[in-house]
Each structure stands twice: as structure tokens, then as C-alpha cells.
Amino acid sequence: QVQLVESGGGLVQAGGSLRLSCAASGSIFRINDMGWYRQTPGKQRELVAAITSGGNTDYADSVKGRFTISRDNAKNTVDLQMNSLKPEDTAAYYCNAEIQTRVLLRRSYWGQGTQVTVSS
């Protein structure tokens, strides 16, 4: 069994910062891409930031220059540092990882989500 557990959400004023963390545990052979997505009611889940196992990153245009994704391959963790937060960043944030539990067995896993609320 593989689990992704997120932490670090909460309520913050506009202009503030939050750091989200996600830890993967269980029967893991290798973790490939990891990322953070967000979703608001009535809208599709959207990619916020992604990072490959080699450290290459990609960001949604709306968060470039404000958010930073990082990972620790030894600890199976991925973090999202969010600075200069805006009310429009308010959403449920989900951790995602493509995980191989065996050499030829890989699939996408999701965390349970953590709420980020930015007040104006």
C-alpha cells in the first residue's frame, strides 16, 4: 500500500506565505514525477507545480515567481513553498506522485488534500 499525506494548509492573509509538505510511504520502489494540484468547487483540478526525479520543475503561469516546488528523494517528500499569496490561490491543494511499487508496476497516487484559504 502507498500513501501520500499532506500537511501545512491553513488560513493566511493576502501577501503571506505557507509551506505545504507531502510525504509518501509504503511499498515504494521508485518515485518519478511529483506535483501539486489545486481545485476549487465547480472547477477542474489544475496543475500548480511539478518536479521530476532529477529536479526539473514546471509551474502554472499564475504562480511563477511566487511558488517554489522542491523534493527530497531520500525522504520521499515534496514541498510547495507559497509566497505572496493571493485570494485567488484559495483552494484545496493535492499532492500527486507517479510511483512504481515494482519495476514494471507504476501508477498515479493522490493525497487527501489540504485546504489553503487566503483572506483579502
Side-chain angles (χ1 to χ4, degrees), residues 12-118:
V12 65
Q13 287 189 332
S17 298
L18 281 175
R19 187 176 184 89
L20 305 183
S21 295
C22 173
S25 62
S27 180
I28 297 171
F29 173 72
R30 180 183 292 130
I31 301 179
N32 299 308
D33 294 351
M34 303 184 83
W36 288 93
Y37 289 72
R38 65 188 181 188
Q39 188 172 24
T40 54
K43 292 190 177 182
Q44 286 192 329
R45 194 170 293 187
E46 64 172 3
L47 176 67
V48 176
I51 185 167
T52 67
S53 58
N56 293 319
T57 59
D58 189 27
Y59 296 92
D61 287 342
S62 59
V63 307
K64 283 180 180 177
R66 301 188 297 122
F67 291 10
T68 302
I69 189 170
S70 60
R71 65 188 283 175
D72 185 327
N73 291 331
K75 296 181 179 179
N76 291 338
T77 59
V78 60
D79 291 348
L80 185 68
Q81 177 66 42
M82 304 185 293
N83 298 329
S84 302
L85 283 161
K86 304 176 181 180
E88 50 263 45
D89 295 318
T90 295
Y93 283 71
Y94 296 89
C95 175
N96 175 265
E98 183 188 84
I99 296 176
Q100 292 175 249
T101 52
R102 299 177 184 176
V103 173
L104 296 180
L105 186 61
R106 70 174 66 189
R107 55 158 281 196
S108 180
Y109 290 85
W110 292 92
Q112 80 284 359
T114 186
Q115 180 66 34
V116 171
T117 302
V118 184

